[in-house]
Amino acid sequence: MPVETLTYETPQFLHKLLGNDLGSLRLIGDTFGVGITSREGWVRLEGEEDQIAAVREVLTQLEKVRRSGGEVSAGMVRLVAESVQRDTGDAPADAIMQLKLLGSGKRPAVLAKTRGQIAYVQAMRECEVVFGIGPAGTGKTYLAMAQGLHFLKEKLVQRLVLTRPAVEAGEALGFLPGDLKEKIFPYLRPLYDALYDMLEPEEAERLIERGSIEIAPLAYMRGRTLKNAFIILDEAQNTTTEQMLMFLTRLGEGARCVVTGDPSQVDLRRHVKSGLREAVEMLQDVEGVRFVAFAPKDIVRLPVVQRIIEAYQAGRTRKNETQ
């Protein structure tokens, strides 16, 4: 049986080529029916000629991403392997790098790492209103933030507005210690975390002080018209139907918005319909609006997170079928 050995300059480069996960080699080998062994900086392939050629193409595409400055992830390895397996003639590395979002200072560029993420970034570039819907860990908020910062730096918008509903911020909010800003901050913390992960702290603070970036609870959007802005509504499954309609009608000239949410994690009171669910029902055929649905395989956190979500989905499906 044919055997081929590929050699890389260092073991560290090979490890990064595989998304820092040697399990990626097993995934590639299983996809194409090729025996793969690796030690130090080399990879040994054993299989039929066409199978070996396919694996070589997968590794070549991943190497292209890595040498172009992109970070490879386990999800990206799966994406490239699936693309080569389908043999559509496209170059997955080119598709990934063409959608590259600006890095900042020492921060690397942000790349779409799964098929769902590629569709999401393309939608944000093409449509005024985009809904990113799916489970936790699929990069819905993170990529929206990266796209917003990209538009801001390219001067395609004048500011970035980040908002999310504070579900518990009703009567109970008054019992929390501190002033209004301190009471609201815990609900907005995930947005700050994503922002500071992409920007140097000094740059983020400067943009917030100048008003180029605004982070506020959804209630603060009422009565406003947002022009020349990129607006992100996070955790949209926790909006009421009235709040969702209010938000979507804030868009002024030159505005774009992204709505993210996970319909399986609604925290609203029982019998209160989610604004996200109503929007999915009402807006499917509206021009300028696009829905991108993420699947568990789009999860870019630890692989165990994907397995947990799949197990929950399977269990809930079985439970619904028996009721």
Side-chain angles (χ1 to χ4, degrees):
M1 185 171 289
V3 174
E4 183 174 332
T5 300
L6 306 176
T7 304
Y8 299 91
E9 54 260 45
T10 65
Q12 292 79 12
F13 181 84
L14 175 58
H15 197 52
K16 290 183 177 180
L17 195 69
L18 299 168
N20 296 312
D21 182 4
L22 290 178
S24 296
L25 280 178
R26 184 170 63 252
L27 183 148
I28 296 170
D30 291 345
T31 299
F32 297 98
V34 172
I36 302 183
T37 55
S38 175
R39 190 173 296 123
E40 298 300 325
W42 56 262
V43 177
R44 183 176 181 270
L45 311 176
E46 183 175 356
E48 299 300 330
E49 289 284 1
D50 57 337
Q51 297 168 325
I52 288 178
V55 172
R56 189 192 316 117
E57 177 63 14
V58 170
L59 294 173
T60 297
Q61 291 294 319
L62 293 172
E63 184 177 0
K64 193 172 182 180
V65 171
R66 187 76 194 109
R67 294 194 187 280
S68 299
E71 295 284 343
V72 176
S73 69
M76 189 184 295
V77 173
R78 188 184 308 110
L79 166 67
V80 172
E82 289 174 356
S83 297
V84 172
Q85 186 181 35
R86 289 201 320 274
D87 193 23
T88 55
D90 60 346
D94 291 342
I96 291 168
M97 297 310 294
Q98 283 170 4
L99 295 174
K100 179 172 67 174
L101 300 171
L102 294 176
S104 174
K106 300 177 182 177
R107 309 297 168 97
V110 177
L111 303 178
K113 298 176 180 177
T114 70
R115 194 165 306 285
Q117 289 190 351
I118 286 177
Y120 188 46
V121 175
Q122 287 176 328
M124 288 189 287
R125 293 191 176 185
E126 296 170 1
C127 300
E128 293 97 334
V129 178
V130 176
F131 285 79
I133 301 172
T138 48
K140 302 183 299 295
T141 303
Y142 195 84
L143 283 174
M145 182 85 73
Q147 184 66 72
L149 289 171
H150 184 91
F151 280 150
L152 188 64
K153 291 187 175 185
E154 293 286 291
K155 300 190 185 323
L156 296 174
V157 297
Q158 295 175 357
R159 56 189 173 134
L160 175 59
V161 180
L162 314 170
T163 185
R164 58 176 1 206
V167 174
E168 301 87 347
E171 294 179 356
L173 193 65
F175 294 98
L176 295 175
D179 59 20
L180 181 60
K181 183 177 180 181
E182 292 169 332
K183 292 172 191 286
I184 291 294
F185 181 78
Y187 303 106
L188 303 177
R189 180 62 184 266
L191 296 175
Y192 281 98
D193 287 345
L195 182 63
Y196 283 97
D197 192 50
M198 292 180 202
L199 297 178
E200 300 296 333
E202 300 80 9
E203 184 179 8
E205 293 294 342
R206 185 172 65 252
L207 290 171
I208 291 172
E209 288 175 6
R210 281 198 336 227
S212 297
I213 296 178
E214 176 186 349
I215 305 178
L218 180 59
Y220 285 31
M221 298 296 109
R222 190 173 297 278
R224 300 176 60 185
T225 299
L226 300 170
K227 297 181 180 180
N228 300 311
F230 188 91
I231 310 117
I232 301 170
L233 171 57
D234 192 35
E235 296 289 332
Q237 74 274 6
N238 290 327
T239 61
T240 64
T241 55
E242 294 81 6
Q243 286 174 327
M244 178 62 77
L245 181 58
M246 177 275 291
F247 172 77
L248 293 174
T249 53
R250 299 306 93 201
L251 305 181
E253 183 181 353
R256 292 169 173 258
C257 84
V258 178
V259 178
T260 73
D262 179 358
S264 70
Q265 296 190 16
V266 176
D267 297 321
L268 295 169
R269 294 189 304 275
R270 188 173 295 181
H271 307 308
V272 175
K273 186 171 183 177
S274 165
L276 178 61
R277 286 178 177 163
E278 184 182 55
V280 172
E281 296 168 3
M282 299 286 190
L283 305 179
Q284 289 289 341
D285 299 322
V286 175
E287 184 178 354
V289 177
R290 187 176 300 175
F291 291 85
V292 178
F294 291 89
K297 66 180 181 180
D298 291 308
I299 292 170
V300 291
R301 293 179 181 170
L302 285 175
V304 69
V305 175
Q306 178 179 337
R307 295 194 291 271
I308 288 171
I309 290 176
E310 289 173 340
Y312 266 97
Q313 288 181 338
R316 287 172 174 172
T317 299
R318 288 194 300 271
K319 184 177 179 180
N320 290 335
E321 288 174 350
T322 57
Q323 288 179 345

